[in-house]
DNA sequence: CATGAATGAGTATTCATTCAT
DNA sequence: AATGAATGAATACTCATTCAT
């Protein structure tokens, strides 16, 4: 029997954050199907019962993960001030951001993919994911619309359809058998051509005309 | 004396097909996570043990579903003779086919999406899905390459990247909050413009210049 | 589908014998706990249903195995005419026979051990095994009694107890960690001394004074 | 923060002991073949899941039973101080102990027999049983060797072979159709004669010359 | 807050047996 | 006689959740 009186313990929100992080790591690793409450608790360094105290059910856990994703998503976008840039430059930054996440924070995408899948059959999750998805889509629509108005993009580009194509293409690179970034860069370049965007400035990382 | 445990019986094949159909319906409905052998058996109108007689394990079941998907996929493609058509015409047909499946056989996509998700963590499934995915991608690449050569598409279109964009865009329409076909048609039209494809002939269903 | 019309098939008793042999082989290999009707049928080269036609239940199968053991046991004993031999000589022959079976037909012992174990809780099996066990024990008792009367063995040897010791010792050699025959021979020699039996004749294989 | 899944709790140990006792009782009653986790749990007065919490698998259960047997075995032997006794006296005590166990704790033998049987095909069990078996055999060997040296037994008694005969004979009494202790006593007396041991002292219970 | 222990409702799989052909 | 197919009843094991302390 080991004494378990470690009082240097984060409580409340900190606990919930730890649980969310553990859950996300495990979802990224094994998917929703293989997600077990005991594993999450173990990963968070606490007992299952303790976890249930903080997050009373698996449903609540899923909501917590969704919220955690949304927080990260929003924070990530807010961390990038884009005032004063042209629509074309912003679109290139969006691509660069996606590339960055794709390479260094792929778990975010993995968890998101799992949540989207689950959202199809669970209206609660769907409700939690919709804002995020909508926010992202609308943001691209706005960029494209502004770019069309300002002459950065093709004049007959349909911003709504363009946003779907843009996001679909980026996400599609992750389904592609070629996991390297080389294919991603070709797709990015092709999108630029397809949208009538001129060659990128030398300073930007997407450069590959 | 020869051991006669040959499951490639006509009856056996029929049963296996029924099981595959039941499994696919349930996967489309509830996803892989909610897939229960008892439910599949019930849906196929047989006893659980009978199901295990024909499909000995859940792993085998997944393989069966993968094979069933592939069979359908191939059959669907072979059902469309495209000899004598231009690359542009064929691409429009591809879009029309996707639209058709999206509207009348959406379960096929749902099941495929589930399988792709599962494939990430299960190499067996991945191996079963790869050929299908590869076949589809390669086919689009071929169409685009031919179209570029024949002047149907933009001269600087990158067939590899274009295929990823094309498929990503089509699949992306299903993630889109707007479930109607109206958005799909806008995306299709935008793709046509993006690839430098001229306006479609009046007879084709994608028409929406 | 493979055609299964092999009419060069043993029937009736021959089938039952084949089934018994298959069952015995499997019991020797994996014990009663791991005995499966399908495996027996497969080993006998027939279908499970066919096997059930000939041997209608597992209980019947056990009885069949018991009978098969008894038949072998009796046959083995009858194959050794001992007329005209002294009690001491016969006892040595018994030891030699045991040694022979132990080395070249150990499965017989294994199956017997399994049956005896099962007999404890299954009166049907017990009933089938008792005669065999009794026959063997009585035979040793008779040999010992005759040997005492004829002066081959110690005068105060109790034939009943002696038989238990004799059989227990021989069977005990199989529980012994040392699986070689060397230990068996030492035990045999010690029994001879314990029963007051003089040194064996040069021709007999047990020789090891 | 330390993970606290330590099952060596006082409560846990008590539960494990109860489970072991229940398992042993059921093995004695119905053998290994008829051993069901649900029955053990019911006998121990707990839920099946609770049982799996303490003993995670049937394999672990078997190990637990083996350990429990070994503990009892060792405890029983340690409970009998034999300092200052002659080899012959100790052998008689061994016989008396066996008789005692045979009459009042026969389940111990039954379970042991089942375990030995299972050990043949399961190396894990074999490993757990070997020490016990070896300990017992070696102990008898030592007694016999000392007795030979001290003149208590026949000078030409082979201690190794003698131990096998001794144990085989005692165990053989349990296979014998006559379940009463009368036959056991005859065997014990015969062993004494066979080993050249003089008549026992009047005070000892085995006395039956 | 935290935890060891407990549990009900599942979950895939197994197996002897039966049955239509 | 023989077989492919079918099935009911079990069986070990899992998991989210609860509860006493």
């Amino acid at each position: 029997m080991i004494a378990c009186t470690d009082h240097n313990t984060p409580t409340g929100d900190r606990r919930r954050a730890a649980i969310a992080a553990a859950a996300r790591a495990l979802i990224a690793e094994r998917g929703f199907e293989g997600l077990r409450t005991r594993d999450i608790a173990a990963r968070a360094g606490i007992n299952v019962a303790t976890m249930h105290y903080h997050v009373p059910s698996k449903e609540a856990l899923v909501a917590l993960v969704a919220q955690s994703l949304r927080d990260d998503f929003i924070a990530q976008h807010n961390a990038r001030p884009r005032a004063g840039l042209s629509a074309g430059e912003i679109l290139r930054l969006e691509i660069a951001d996606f590339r960055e996440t794709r390479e260094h924070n792929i778990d975010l995408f993995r968890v998101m993919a799992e949540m989207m899948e689950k959202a199809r059959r669970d209206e609660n999750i769907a409700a939690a994911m919709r804002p995020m998805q909508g926010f992202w889509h609308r943001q691209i629509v706005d960029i494209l619309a502004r770019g069309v108005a300002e002459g950065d993009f093709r004049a007959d580009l349909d911003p709504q359809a363009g946003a779907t194509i843009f996001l679909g293409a980026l996400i599609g690179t992750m389904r592609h058998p070629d996991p390297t970034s080389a294919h991603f860069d070709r797709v990015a370049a092709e999108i630029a051509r397809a949208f009538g965007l001129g060659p990128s400035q030398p300073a930007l990382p997407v450069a590959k005309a």
Side-chain angles (χ1 to χ4, degrees), chain A:
Chain A
M1 186 56 176
I2 301 164
C4 292
T5 32
D6 184 336
H7 286 279
N8 299 354
T9 273
T11 45
D13 286 347
R14 299 256 288 276
R15 268 270 186 273
R16 286 169 62 86
I19 291 168
R24 281 174 56 171
L26 284 169
I27 291 169
E29 250 177 53
R30 305 177 214 167
F32 250 112
E33 206 179 339
L35 190 65
R36 306 284 171 249
T37 49
R38 295 194 115 81
D39 296 344
I40 301 171
R43 189 119 173 181
I46 56 175
N47 185 284
V48 214
T50 306
M51 188 182 124
H52 265 86
Y53 177 82
H54 291 285
V55 182
S57 72
K58 213 177 180 184
E59 201 181 12
L61 179 87
V62 167
L64 178 69
V65 168
Q67 194 198 2
S68 155
L69 276 181
R70 195 166 50 211
D71 291 351
D72 275 23
F73 187 80
I74 302 286
Q76 209 168 86
H77 266 261
N78 290 344
R80 301 174 293 211
R82 272 140 198 207
L85 296 180
S86 73
E89 284 165 338
I90 295 178
L91 195 74
R92 284 194 197 283
L93 282 177
E94 285 293 324
I95 292 171
D97 283 344
F98 191 99
R99 194 183 196 276
E100 165 73 14
T101 303
R102 191 189 128 104
E103 285 200 333
H104 299 111
N105 194 12
I106 191 150
D107 279 4
L108 183 67
F109 285 149
R110 281 208 226 279
V111 177
M112 238 156 175
E114 291 282 343
M115 294 289 282
M116 296 295 301
E117 198 65 27
K118 216 174 160 53
R120 248 184 242 175
R121 275 173 307 273
D122 186 330
E123 180 48 36
N124 290 332
I125 303 184
M129 300 301 289
R130 249 194 301 270
M132 227 182 315
Q133 200 185 354
F135 174 78
W136 203 6
H137 193 267
R138 238 173 298 118
Q139 188 161 299
I140 304 298
V141 171
D142 290 347
I143 295 169
L144 296 186
R146 226 189 82 203
V148 168
E150 294 173 355
D152 272 11
F153 305 130
R154 211 173 355 99
D156 58 353
L157 177 66
D158 174 348
Q160 287 286 345
T164 297
I165 292 170
F166 179 81
L167 292 175
L170 296 198
I171 293 169
T173 61
M174 297 197 306
R175 257 194 314 272
H176 195 268
D178 177 2
T180 67
S181 288
H183 183 71
F184 178 84
D185 290 336
R186 283 177 71 174
V187 169
E190 183 58 46
I191 284 176
R193 286 193 296 276
F195 286 0
L197 179 61
S200 69
Q201 285 12 293
L204 295 177
V206 209
K208 179 154 189 316

